Amino acid sequence: MKLSWKQGLSVWAATSCSLLIAAWLNYYLSDNGFIKEPNQTYDYIVVGAGTSGCVLAAKLAGSNSKVLVIEAGGEPPWYSWVPLIAPILQGSQHYDWRFRTVPQKFAAGALHGNQAFWPQGKMVGGSGQMNFLIHTTGSPGDYDSWKVPGWDSQTMKNTLDDLTCWTKGNPKPKPFASRPSFLLDDEPEMCSAPVLTEIENSTSCSENVQHNQCPSAAIKLQRVNATEKPLLKAFLDAGRACGHSVSDMDRWSDTGSFMASHNTIEGLAGHRWSTYQSHLMPAMKRHNNLHVLTKSSVTKLVWKRKKVIGIQYLDNDGRIKHVKANREVLLSAGTIKTTQILQLSGVGPPHVLEPLDIPIKADLPVGENLQDHLQVPLFVELNSSVSMNVIKMLNPRQFWNYLVHGKGALATSGIEGIATLTKTRENGKSSKPYGMLILFNMGSINADVYTSVANIKKEAFHRWFPKSNNLSQEGFVLISVCLHPRSRGHVRVVSNDPTQPPEIDPAYLNHDYDVQCSIDTIKQGVELLNTEAFRALGAKLHWPTFPECGGKQGSDNQRYMECLVRTAALTMYHPAGTATMGHEDNPDAVVDPELRVRGVKGLRVVDASVLPRLPSGPPNSVLIAIAERAADLILKKD
Ligand SMILES: Cc1cc2nc3c(=O)[nH]c(=O)nc-3n(C[C@H](O)[C@H](O)[C@H](O)COP(=O)(O)OP(=O)(O)OC[C@H]3O[C@@H](n4cnc5c(N)ncnc54)[C@H](O)[C@@H]3O)c2cc1C
């Protein structure tokens, strides 16, 4: 599509504004707690400055211990702070590990070689510096079903409550029914809506919460406001019309509900609120016993018999170096790299380590139990001007609004609405949420960018998103997610070279449950589009016309639906489970309930790999809570 002079002017203005934003963010976020050369010894070494590592390091440094954080990537680029444009980090040579799976037998039909691309953050802030900022807390049943002592729903709720920024003068939440929720924008629309009983008693809408009243080490949230977002309003109205409840995200319940999304965005400046910002940055300013070494990649653990006493790493010039830990090494390198470091250090199953002649230090099922959420994104065309698209985004007013007020499209992640879906059992009680619907407000999708970062075949993409060439297209992407997949895969080292990626096989859709669960979720989404709320906006779902799925598209054709899921399901970017926590006598457990690696001294794992099962939603805030609790467990021992 050729740009008109007006659009050309917009692009020019957009570029100028971007440079201004860059300069401003650089000023706003600058700090100087980074080191070039570490000391020889620290009390704790935290491997990886991602979502979990930043929290852990900040808390440990607060105890006056000497802490080293070692991170393979560098500092994040300025644009990673701007919520809407952060996804362009995906596929970056500098900031993304760019993992890819082995060819999938039962899934990924629309992808070249049936291989899924897995972006994972490689920078300070980790994947939390490139994610879509959705905040969810899972549901109580998630934690109780783990059956790991100390990680029950009540403990997780308390930890999440303590972490979340609440209201002025009320930092410690009262019991659910009487306390205000963590609203940051008032929203009368939601108050007058029929909502669950818990929220009816809440004073949330009358409280005026200011971001600057939040303590720094808190999860700050911004709730998308349905009074300003007609598309979100339609989503909530449609949910209600289909018999679902509409409530606030701040609800601790296994019952499904439709909600305005809460996103981890700093509301005053409108920038990403990752754990780099919330935890590590303030801790670096406050504690000179906290050192952060970047562009240094840990390759192995250093042992003294069965005790880990330090790490080996490659510095930025490729030189091998070592640092000692007096107390513990804490692996927070994310599911893939934590697994690789453990296996290369001799912690893993013999069938993986022996072929590479790696001496076994602990025979544990490291790398098994790999799981991920899968999403099926479908495009819904609209004939009303209620959505975001490229042309609207390039309007200089958007940039001005962002720069001056921290508001507008750039200050959002595009994720506006979330719905968790439950089924009613025979006994009348509802099940744990099985599916999630996500409203992603974006009418135009750039084919070149999307196909290259997700490895999608061009032809499949055009059958999937046929209007993607139109930069002023109105519409949105309706994302369906199966929340508790049963397929399990693995991560395994296949080379002694730490710079070579391990084999990643999520075994997507190996289990038939996952296919049916995805189909059921999509069907619930399709029902919404037939309501008056969406009809009024001219909503029209585009069923992808993949040739392998036959000629009769639609949710009443089971064959088509199964084929659609097996062709169009993509990673939701939540790999987890490869160093699962568990009870002492659970043979599948790699770490004990205090996250210590079993049979090894001086070593814990604190990141997404310890999740026994994924929670009912994106896991970032859950991982923050786990890292907070892990720090308490570690410090209790001192
Ligand atoms: C594109 C994307 C979108 C997402 N969207 C959401 C969302 O909207 N909401 C949500 O809740 N979750 C989301 N997630 C998931 C969430 O961000 C992750 O689950 C979470 O960040 C994982 O945290 P972690 O601590 O396990 O690992 P990470 O945050 O990935 O941190 C690992 C860190 O370790 C470093 N590292 C790795 N190897 C080494 C080594 N050898 N030496 C030194 N350092 C090393 C890495 O560079 C990285 O900085 C998304 C993830 C992605 C990738």
Side-chain angles (χ1 to χ4, degrees):
M1 184 183 167
K2 212 166 168 259
L3 294 181
S4 68
W5 71 267
K6 260 188 171 174
Q7 288 165 342
L9 189 68
S10 299
V11 171
W12 173 83
T15 313
S16 314
C17 288
S18 302
L19 290 173
L20 273 171
I21 294 174
W24 173 76
L25 278 171
N26 207 20
Y27 164 76
Y28 180 78
L29 298 168
S30 63
D31 64 286
N32 48 16
F34 294 98
I35 53 156
K36 291 260 179 281
E37 277 296 329
N39 298 340
Q40 283 186 341
T41 309
Y42 289 84
D43 293 322
Y44 297 104
I45 299 176
V46 178
V47 180
T51 295
S52 315
C54 288
V55 176
L56 199 55
K59 277 203 78 167
L60 293 178
S63 74
N64 284 332
S65 309
K66 291 198 176 88
V67 180
L68 172 69
V69 184
I70 179 162
E71 166 57 46
E75 287 184 68
W78 67 267
Y79 49 85
S80 67
W81 296 102
V82 183
L84 195 65
I85 58 174
I88 63 172
L89 286 160
Q90 288 185 35
S92 148
Q93 223 179 332
H94 297 294
Y95 306 114
D96 179 3
W97 284 95
R98 302 198 297 175
F99 295 118
R100 52 191 62 190
T101 69
V102 299
Q104 295 298 287
K105 260 195 201 146
F106 303 109
L111 310 186
H112 291 287
N114 294 71
Q115 279 186 290
F117 281 9
W118 276 13
Q120 292 288 293
K122 185 183 184 180
M123 60 194 134
V124 181
S127 301
Q129 196 65 33
M130 65 168 4
N131 70 15
F132 287 103
L133 303 151
I134 304 170
H135 162 84
T136 54
T137 54
S139 73
D142 294 339
Y143 308 107
D144 292 331
S145 72
W146 289 355
K147 295 194 170 58
V148 184
W151 297 94
D152 55 283
S153 57
Q154 192 54 47
T155 314
M156 286 302 284
K157 177 184 185 310
N158 293 344
T159 313
L160 281 155
D161 278 352
D162 284 349
L163 261 171
T164 312
C165 176
W166 304 92
T167 57
K168 188 179 171 188
N170 185 29
K172 292 262 174 195
K174 294 176 217 148
F176 190 93
S178 57
R179 69 169 156 74
S181 65
F182 44 76
L183 298 188
L184 299 173
D185 294 316
D186 289 352
E187 195 186 356
E189 159 71 16
M190 292 295 293
C191 279
S192 58
V195 291
L196 294 177
T197 26
E198 302 105 291
I199 201 77
E200 277 167 359
N201 295 333
S202 154
T203 56
S204 55
C205 292
S206 61
E207 291 276 337
N208 193 10
V209 186
Q210 298 293 325
H211 263 95
N212 54 8
Q213 289 156 352
C214 295
S216 64
I219 302 174
K220 289 188 187 179
L221 298 170
Q222 198 176 48
R223 183 167 81 161
V224 184
N225 191 334
T227 49
E228 292 168 5
K229 303 277 183 186
L231 195 50
L232 170 61
K233 185 172 178 319
F235 180 74
L236 299 176
D237 286 347
R240 211 174 282 131
C242 289
H244 300 280
S245 61
V246 175
S247 75
D248 194 274
M249 183 72 89
D250 176 26
R251 48 190 289 283
W252 189 251
S253 165
D254 281 330
T255 317
S257 191
F258 276 57
M259 299 157 272
S261 185
H262 285 71
N263 300 320
T264 45
I265 293 171
E266 168 17 5
L268 289 181
H271 65 66
R272 169 181 296 275
W273 191 247
S274 69
T275 56
Y276 176 25
Q277 175 85 45
S278 63
H279 286 76
L280 191 66
M281 218 182 255
M284 283 166 81
K285 288 185 171 140
R286 217 176 296 136
H287 307 294
N288 56 13
N289 53 321
L290 171 61
H291 288 175
V292 182
L293 179 68
T294 57
K295 298 190 177 173
S296 301
S297 195
V298 173
T299 49
K300 262 188 199 170
L301 302 168
V302 178
W303 298 86
K304 189 172 180 186
R305 286 183 287 278
K306 289 276 184 187
K307 184 173 183 209
V308 172
I309 54 162
I311 49 143
Q312 173 184 293
Y313 71 97
L314 283 176
D315 75 3
N316 197 25
D317 300 318
R319 287 174 300 206
I320 296 179
K321 293 191 170 171
H322 297 91
V323 185
K324 276 190 180 163
N326 282 333
R327 292 187 186 147
E328 295 191 27
V329 171
L330 306 153
L331 290 180
S332 298
T335 295
I336 311 303
K337 293 299 283 187
T338 283
T339 304
Q340 185 178 26
I341 294 168
L342 283 170
Q343 291 179 347
L344 287 179
S345 307
V347 183
H351 68 95
V352 175
L353 307 194
E354 277 167 5
L356 297 175
D357 293 328
I358 300 172
I360 295 173
K361 293 283 185 183
D363 174 357
L364 292 169
V366 173
E368 303 304 309
N369 191 40
L370 176 65
Q371 51 201 289
D372 185 19
H373 283 140
L374 272 176
Q375 55 164 322
V376 181
L378 293 176
F379 184 68
V380 181
E381 188 182 332
L382 299 172
N383 66 10
S384 316
S385 179
V386 289
S387 56
M388 188 40 62
N389 55 44
V390 174
I391 293 298
K392 288 185 197 174
M393 238 164 61
L394 288 177
N395 185 328
R397 259 181 309 182
Q398 290 289 357
F399 289 84
W400 181 252
N401 201 11
Y402 185 67
L403 202 59
V404 177
H405 306 294
K407 298 262 180 281
L410 288 163
T412 74
S413 66
I415 307 287
E416 292 191 353
I418 301 264
T420 47
L421 306 167
T422 43
K423 288 181 180 165
T424 308
R425 293 208 186 100
E426 277 167 13
N427 62 8
K429 288 195 174 161
S430 69
S431 67
K432 226 169 47 164
Y434 69 89
M436 177 169 269
L437 292 169
I438 298 176
L439 171 72
F440 180 45
N441 183 348
M442 192 51 73
S444 43
I445 296 149
N446 186 303
D448 289 335
V449 173
Y450 205 56
T451 51
S452 78
V453 297
N455 197 29
I456 300 172
K457 296 174 198 159
K458 276 265 163 64
E459 198 207 326
F461 182 84
H462 291 299
R463 290 176 175 279
W464 198 347
F465 300 101
K467 305 231 164 163
S468 62
N469 284 340
N470 183 355
L471 302 184
S472 54
Q473 178 66 47
E474 292 289 338
F476 67 95
V477 181
L478 184 63
I479 297 172
S480 304
V481 186
C482 172
L483 287 175
H484 300 287
R486 295 186 188 165
S487 305
R488 292 291 181 269
H490 64 252
V491 175
R492 285 178 194 156
V493 285
V494 284
S495 159
N496 294 79
D497 179 352
T499 63
Q500 292 303 306
E503 176 182 279
I504 301 171
D505 184 1
Y508 281 142
L509 304 177
N510 266 17
H511 202 296
D512 287 342
Y513 167 84
D514 301 356
V515 180
Q516 195 53 47
C517 164
S518 303
I519 293 174
D520 290 351
T521 309
I522 296 170
K523 282 184 174 174
Q524 293 290 320
V526 173
E527 273 191 15
L528 300 180
L529 304 176
N530 295 327
T531 60
E532 184 47 40
F534 273 119
R535 274 201 302 266
L537 302 178
K540 190 174 146 219
L541 176 72
H542 180 83
W543 288 110
T545 56
F546 302 128
E548 60 272 40
C549 297
K552 186 176 173 297
Q553 294 108 22
S555 55
D556 51 355
N557 182 350
Q558 176 68 16
R559 207 194 134 262
Y560 170 80
M561 291 301 282
E562 186 172 331
C563 175
L564 171 69
V565 171
R566 294 199 187 277
T567 308
L570 301 172
T571 177
M572 187 76 181
Y573 324 104
H574 305 158
T578 49
T580 187
M581 62 163 120
H583 198 272
E584 308 284 348
D585 52 19
N586 176 355
D588 298 328
V590 170
V591 297
D592 72 10
E594 297 205 3
L595 309 185
R596 294 171 294 211
V597 176
R598 291 168 67 197
V600 171
K601 285 197 174 128
L603 180 65
R604 293 188 212 227
V605 178
V606 185
D607 62 20
S609 55
V610 303
L611 293 174
R613 269 185 301 281
L614 281 161
S616 301
N620 201 60
S621 296
V622 173
L623 296 172
I624 296 175
I626 290 178
E628 278 272 339
R629 233 180 94 57
D632 288 342
L633 292 169
I634 295 165
L635 293 173
K636 195 182 70 189
K637 299 278 164 215
D638 281 353

